[in-house]
Amino acid sequence: MNEVINEKVSVELIYNRMTGEVMPRRMRWQGRLYIMKKLGYYHKARQGRTILHIFHVTDGNTDFRLSLDTENLHWTLNEITDGTTT
């Protein structure tokens, strides 16, 4: 099931200087810590003059869509998907 969230979250990001890869590694949402295992894909989007960095990641059970706002450097959990359909 796909659920729209749009809440600010705390995110730890890692950067690998050898490969240039950037990936959200851990996210804290509603008092729970999620450890990300894989980056599905990444893209940029523009909202007015603000550039958003959009990361689609998974912890192995749940998929998350996270966005980083370049204007204020705030992270938002946009939506979650558990892989089931309704």
Side-chain angles (χ1 to χ4, degrees):
M1 182 170 79
N2 200 17
E3 185 177 348
V4 175
I5 305 295
N6 288 326
E7 290 181 26
K8 287 185 181 176
V9 291
S10 297
V11 174
E12 289 181 22
L13 184 78
I14 62 167
Y15 169 70
N16 183 326
R17 71 176 180 90
M18 301 299 276
T19 64
E21 182 179 289
V22 175
M23 181 178 157
R25 181 56 82 193
R26 302 189 324 170
M27 175 188 67
R28 186 167 299 278
W29 175 53
Q30 294 185 344
R32 185 167 176 208
L33 182 66
Y34 296 88
I35 311 272
M36 303 307 159
K37 295 187 178 177
K38 185 176 179 186
L39 175 65
Y41 65 99
Y42 159 81
H43 61 95
K44 293 181 196 175
R46 185 176 289 276
Q47 221 174 37
R49 61 177 236 174
T50 303
I51 296 172
L52 299 174
H53 294 271
I54 312 293
F55 295 86
H56 298 261
V57 293
T58 184
D59 69 353
N61 296 315
T62 307
D63 296 340
F64 304 92
R65 181 175 184 250
L66 297 166
S67 61
L68 174 63
D69 184 326
T70 59
E71 194 72 20
N72 57 24
L73 299 179
H74 291 177
W75 284 93
T76 302
L77 173 58
N78 303 110
E79 62 185 51
I80 59 171
T81 306
D82 64 4
T84 62
T85 58
T86 56

